[in-house]
Amino acid sequence: MPFQVRPISGSLGAEVYGVDLGSVDDEGFKEVHDLLMRHLVLFFPDAGGLTPQAHEAFGGRFGELEVHPFLPKLEGHEKIVVLDSSQGARADVWHTDVTFAQSPPIASVLQVTLTPESGGDTMWSNQYLAYEALSEPMRDLLEGTTASHLFVHPNGSFRSEAEHPVVRTHPVTGRRSLYVNRMFTRRILQLAKGESDALLEHLFAVSESPQRTCRYRWVEGAVAMWDNRATQHYAVNDYAGRRVGQRVTVMGDEPRGAEPRWGKFREAGMSATSVKE
């Protein structure tokens, strides 16, 4: 029986019905993969609740699964991260996952196991469309620039920083997307700090604009997966109850873009490391 697909916005995202993620065959998996490349975010409302083993097995078909360095794990399953709002898991800032790593994740598969009575939706944004919304001179400026992405754990136990192209080319679709995000991107390295701050604020606004987003209302047991290479997401923090999800993340590839056209900006008398403020 063919899958039933219902787009949920004009920009990205689709609900898919009739898929047993725990036993999907190779032909069905290829269809899921192709739908993901087309819609960027897929939702499976009738997935019925994946067992931890099935969750890991399905995610593992996309590639090697991550063992997150510090987020809490499901007991007995080190590759399944538990996102519990009662423990502070409320990612209410637009972001692309783990861009502070040299090879950020390809995709994630999230199953929500507990929802509040109201609220707790998640939003995603299409970064192909964000790039395509820029003027031609702005696109030309950004081609060949790179940005620093940084995360430091509040308790100082973990720090990671990476440099990635501001515009990346998707390795499967070949499309360009904007690749900066408010949570982790710190500086465009070829620009003076004031220039970078102003331009990043503009790019963040473009990437988060409502007309390039979708919003999903969770039901318990529903599963979502997204292409982390061309999307951002935002967990709406508008609820008083508790929301719990279980997530596996597919380990990544190194973002690629145009070759740099300029060196990193240095003020007179500043060292090479000064651009990483």
Side-chain angles (χ1 to χ4, degrees), residues 175-192:
R175 294 179 67 180
R176 287 181 171 87
S177 64
L178 197 56
Y179 199 65
V180 295
N181 69 91
R182 193 178 295 275
M183 182 175 282
F184 300 125
T185 308
R186 295 293 178 263
R187 179 149 179 198
I188 298 175
L189 297 173
Q190 290 74 26
L191 302 181

Side-chain angles (χ1 to χ4, degrees), residues 62-142:
F62 290 87
E64 184 179 355
L65 297 183
E66 171 195 65
V67 178
H68 198 279
F70 56 83
L71 289 178
K73 317 296 192 303
L74 184 67
E75 185 175 357
H77 297 274
E78 65 174 3
K79 296 177 181 178
I80 299 180
V81 165
V82 177
L83 303 174
D84 188 337
S85 64
S86 69
Q87 299 176 7
R90 295 177 183 248
D92 54 347
V93 178
W94 281 105
H95 65 287
T96 299
D97 286 334
V98 198
T99 59
F100 52 81
Q102 192 63 38
S103 298
I106 291 172
S108 288
V109 183
L110 172 65
Q111 177 173 224
V112 169
T113 58
L114 181 66
T115 60
E117 289 186 7
S118 61
D121 299 355
T122 303
M123 300 178 68
W124 282 263
S125 61
N126 184 329
Q127 297 307 297
Y128 293 145
L129 298 184
Y131 171 75
E132 292 164 6
L134 300 173
S135 66
E136 188 172 344
M138 181 61 74
R139 293 186 213 174
D140 182 68
L141 169 64
L142 295 178

Side-chain angles (χ1 to χ4, degrees), residues 14-245:
E15 288 186 321
V16 184
Y17 295 88
V19 185
D20 183 350
L21 298 179
S23 62
V24 64
D25 60 18
D26 290 344
E27 182 179 356
F29 176 77
K30 181 181 183 304
E31 184 172 352
V32 169
H33 178 273
D34 292 347
L35 287 171
L36 181 64
M37 294 302 99
R38 186 179 315 144
H39 296 285
L40 297 178
V41 191
L42 299 180
F43 306 98
F44 304 89
D46 61 352
L50 291 170
T51 66
Q53 294 80 6
H55 194 171
E56 290 175 326
F58 177 71
R61 296 181 76 166
F62 290 87
E64 184 179 355
L65 297 183
E66 171 195 65
V67 178
H68 198 279
F70 56 83
L71 289 178
K73 317 296 192 303
L74 184 67
E75 185 175 357
H77 297 274
E78 65 174 3
K79 296 177 181 178
I80 299 180
V81 165
V82 177
L83 303 174
D84 188 337
S85 64
S86 69
Q87 299 176 7
R90 295 177 183 248
D92 54 347
V93 178
W94 281 105
H95 65 287
T96 299
D97 286 334
V98 198
T99 59
F100 52 81
Q102 192 63 38
S103 298
I106 291 172
S108 288
V109 183
L110 172 65
Q111 177 173 224
V112 169
T113 58
L114 181 66
T115 60
E117 289 186 7
S118 61
D121 299 355
T122 303
M123 300 178 68
W124 282 263
S125 61
N126 184 329
Q127 297 307 297
Y128 293 145
L129 298 184
Y131 171 75
E132 292 164 6
L134 300 173
S135 66
E136 188 172 344
M138 181 61 74
R139 293 186 213 174
D140 182 68
L141 169 64
L142 295 178
E143 288 288 332
T145 58
T146 59
S148 63
H149 297 245
L150 174 67
F151 175 76
V152 180
H153 196 281
N155 68 13
S157 63
F158 179 85
R159 183 186 191 279
S160 181
E161 184 173 10
E163 179 181 342
H164 298 307
V166 173
V167 176
R168 76 174 290 180
T169 301
H170 197 287
V172 177
T173 67
R175 294 179 67 180
R176 287 181 171 87
S177 64
L178 197 56
Y179 199 65
V180 295
N181 69 91
R182 193 178 295 275
M183 182 175 282
F184 300 125
T185 308
R186 295 293 178 263
R187 179 149 179 198
I188 298 175
L189 297 173
Q190 290 74 26
L191 302 181
K193 186 175 188 304
E195 296 170 342
S196 172
D197 289 347
L199 182 52
L200 281 176
E201 188 57 41
H202 171 67
L203 297 179
F204 295 155
V206 172
S207 70
E208 300 163 5
S209 184
Q211 67 263 38
R212 289 177 274 278
T213 67
C214 69
R215 179 168 178 154
Y216 197 68
R217 172 61 180 149
W218 293 101
V219 295
E220 290 183 10
V223 174
M225 68 176 307
W226 60 94
D227 189 334
N228 198 56
R229 297 165 289 195
T231 62
Q232 294 187 28
H233 55 282
Y234 179 102
V236 181
N237 187 5
D238 63 346
Y239 56 98
R242 184 181 175 200
R243 194 184 78 164
V244 180

Side-chain angles (χ1 to χ4, degrees), residues 226-276:
W226 60 94
D227 189 334
N228 198 56
R229 297 165 289 195
T231 62
Q232 294 187 28
H233 55 282
Y234 179 102
V236 181
N237 187 5
D238 63 346
Y239 56 98
R242 184 181 175 200
R243 194 184 78 164
V244 180
Q246 298 177 359
R247 187 187 74 192
V248 299
T249 296
V250 184
M251 293 181 66
D253 52 12
E254 189 170 344
R256 300 293 185 184
E259 289 297 318
R261 295 185 288 166
W262 304 279
K264 295 175 183 176
F265 181 84
R266 293 177 178 82
E267 297 279 4
M270 294 178 69
S271 69
T273 58
S274 298
V275 297
K276 293 191 175 184

